[in-house]
């Protein structure tokens, strides 16, 4: 078993307690063959009590020197977006020069921008501050309304729960979709939200019936291998196609068919990782049709072929032709 992937989280006062809790919560749940997949370490310019944005002190044991041992560096969001500590900026620049993967949660993007690490890169931050980030750092290719962005080895997320999506994306990139979805289920969070999904800056219309489409999404997850249409989804939800499309997008940030395709690609990833089914069976069980159709979708989404993805992430030692049990729904 190789050494755990080391994640170092920088807590710049006044740090968001939620932002530093998310990496610990999610990375701490990753087990590979019974062993931890990650080691999460926290650091600050001045180790010891660090003030949070709500006035509570947290104890941060490490200094910035621990970044030299990191595989991934995450700068957590803070209540202050100006006058970043020059020690943090120097540490971030050094980490980038050393080839570390670097990410920010929420307003942590301001420190990355001040360090010059976002110049010429696509990046985002919490929607309330995207205008400020773009005005102060015009060299950024600002993505104003997405959950998270990856541009090479640098990742940025928007605020609050988008930090969860960013961390799950890192887990998925490191260990595959099956592991990431297991972590999401353990943490009771939504397992698959694309980085390009909206931050939901507009207030969505309340559902006329007083209920969401969670039950319809759960039903669809149990029937991904069937040729579901908008009519099928609307019939299950008991609404018109027009109402379905409008309210579904308000809830998920995606159209119903975009959401279905994303779930099917994720299902195919899990099957490629956890079974030795032939490619045509993986395509059929995941609802992507033929092996050729699956290849197009996987390559467009991931940049690799299904066979290359399986070679990288498969955890199956022996070939079996038996079909897997239908997965439990996650919404």
């Amino acid at each position: 078993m190789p050494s755990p992937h080391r994640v170092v989280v920088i807590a710049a006062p006044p740090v968001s307690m939620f932002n530093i809790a998310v990496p610990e919560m999610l990375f701490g749940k990753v087990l590979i063959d019974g062993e931890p997949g990650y080691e999460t370490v926290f650091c600050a310019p001045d180790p010891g009590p660090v003030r949070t944005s709500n006035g509570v002190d947290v104890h941060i044991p490490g200094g910035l020197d621990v970044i030299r041992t990191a595989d991934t560096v995450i700068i957590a969001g803070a209540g202050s977006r100006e006058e970043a500590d020059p020690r943090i900026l120097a540490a971030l620049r050094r980490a980038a020069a050393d080839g570390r993967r670097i990410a920010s949660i929420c307003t942590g993007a301001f420190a990355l921008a001040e360090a010059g690490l976002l110049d010429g890169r696509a990046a985002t931050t919490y929607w309330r501050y995207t205008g400020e980030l773009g005005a102060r750092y015009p060299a950024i290719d600002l993505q104003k309304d997405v959950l998270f962005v990856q541009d090479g080895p640098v990742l940025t997320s928007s605020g609050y729960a988008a930090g969860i999506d960013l961390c799950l994306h890192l887990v998925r990139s490191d260990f595959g979709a099956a592991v990431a979805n297991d972590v999401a289920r353990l943490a009771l969070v939504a397992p698959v939200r694309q980085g390009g999904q909206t931050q939901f800056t507009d207030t969505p219309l309340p559902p006329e019936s007083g209920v969401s489409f969670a039950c319809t999404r759960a039903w669809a997850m149990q029937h991904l291998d069937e040729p579901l249409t908008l009519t099928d989804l609307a019939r299950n939800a008991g609404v018109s196609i027009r109402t379905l499309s409008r309210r579904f997008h308000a809830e998920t940030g995606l159209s119903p068919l975009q959401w279905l395709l994303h779930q099917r690609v994720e299902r195919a990833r899990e099957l490629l990782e956890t079974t030795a089914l032939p490619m045509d069976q993986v395509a059929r069980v995941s609802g992507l049709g033929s092996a050729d159709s699956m290849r197009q979708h996987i390559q467009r989404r991931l940049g690799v072929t299904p066979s290359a993805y399986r070679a990288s992430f498969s955890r199956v030692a022996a070939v079996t032709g038996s079909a897997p049990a239908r997965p439990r729904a996650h919404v």
Side-chain angles (χ1 to χ4, degrees), residues 181-182 184-186 188 191 217-224 263 267 270 324-331:
N181 286 343
D182 282 345
R185 283 189 284 267
L186 288 171
L188 298 178
R217 294 197 298 273
W219 173 81
M221 288 293 295
Q222 297 287 351
H223 296 81
L224 288 179
Q263 299 302 327
R267 179 59 180 150
E270 287 198 65
R326 192 183 291 273
R328 298 192 313 183
H330 32 246
V331 181

Side-chain angles (χ1 to χ4, degrees), residues 226 252 313:
E226 300 175 16
T252 68
F313 292 107

Side-chain angles (χ1 to χ4, degrees), residues 128-170:
R128 292 184 64 181
Y129 305 121
T130 52
E132 179 183 344
L133 184 69
R136 287 174 56 184
Y137 306 100
I140 297 176
D141 178 12
L142 189 63
Q143 309 294 300
K144 294 184 178 181
D145 193 24
V146 297
L147 292 175
F148 63 87
V149 179
Q150 177 166 6
D151 191 327
V154 180
L155 303 93
T156 52
S157 80
S158 60
Y160 299 101
I164 296 174
D165 298 298
L166 174 76
C167 290
L168 286 175
H169 172 73
L170 294 176

Side-chain angles (χ1 to χ4, degrees), residues 30-109:
V30 176
L31 293 177
I32 307 299
D33 299 330
E35 299 293 332
Y38 292 95
E39 177 189 11
T40 306
V41 178
F42 296 88
C43 71
D46 298 303
V50 172
R51 182 57 52 96
T52 66
S53 53
N54 62 358
V56 177
D57 286 350
V58 294
H59 181 75
I60 302 297
L64 296 177
D65 57 303
V66 301
I67 293 175
R68 295 181 181 274
T69 66
D71 297 301
T72 296
V73 179
I74 297 177
I75 174 76
S80 175
R81 301 180 302 281
E82 298 180 355
E83 299 181 1
D85 192 311
R87 293 171 293 176
I88 292 179
L89 299 181
L92 289 170
R93 294 182 185 116
R94 185 167 55 247
D98 290 342
R100 316 293 183 196
R101 182 171 63 183
I102 300 177
S104 67
I105 298 176
C106 195
T107 55

Side-chain angles (χ1 to χ4, degrees), residues 213 216 232-239 244:
F213 287 127
T216 294
D232 296 326
L233 295 173
R235 184 183 298 115
N236 179 272
V239 298
L244 172 85

